[in-house]
Amino acid sequence: MSALRTWLDGIPENKLDEHFAGVDAEEIARMLGDASDAELTELIADEPIRAAALSAGFGRFADFAVPEQLEAMKGVVRFVVRRDRGVEETYDAHFGNNTVEVQPAGANE
């Protein structure tokens, strides 16, 4: 069992958002990098875990951006999360006005 799975085990669904929001970005990146593809596939298929992880990750984009670079950025980056059986979730990160906002794809169309 990887450190990621151990870190997630026993966390109730209603505490996942808080659990993800409180983790150090470098620590979660290390745990993700150490997890096997099979384990990541399993976690992506877990609705509450996937939702909490995406919410925390997308919600912290601007926090980790270099302010001078974020100020100069304008555009949209699309993220595609491929789940099992060909199901995809798409999100658009809108860069501009010195911030970044992530929404489900097409929300601003």
Side-chain angles (χ1 to χ4, degrees):
M1 183 180 303
S2 74
L4 180 61
R5 184 78 257 179
T6 300
W7 181 76
L8 286 167
D9 278 350
I11 304 300
E13 281 185 31
N14 65 343
K15 298 289 184 182
L16 283 168
D17 286 330
E18 181 182 333
H19 194 60
F20 272 102
V23 70
D24 178 76
E26 289 181 22
E27 177 65 13
I28 194 73
R30 184 192 60 73
M31 288 189 288
L32 286 166
D34 290 344
S36 70
D37 288 349
E39 184 174 33
L40 292 174
T41 298
E42 178 184 315
L43 292 172
I44 289 169
D46 186 305
E47 180 75 29
I49 289 174
R50 184 183 66 261
L54 291 174
S55 177
F58 290 151
R60 295 169 75 182
F61 273 7
D63 296 342
F64 297 108
V66 175
E68 296 80 21
Q69 291 176 344
L70 185 59
E71 184 178 343
M73 294 180 73
K74 183 173 177 149
V76 178
V77 175
R78 179 159 286 174
F79 292 89
V80 178
V81 179
R82 290 196 172 101
R83 297 170 45 191
D84 58 341
R85 297 187 180 106
V87 176
E88 294 182 347
E89 293 178 19
T90 55
Y91 300 88
D92 291 339
H94 299 265
F95 292 84
N97 299 321
N98 206 28
T99 192
V100 58
E101 293 182 17
V102 180
Q103 302 172 337
N108 280 349
E109 294 175 358

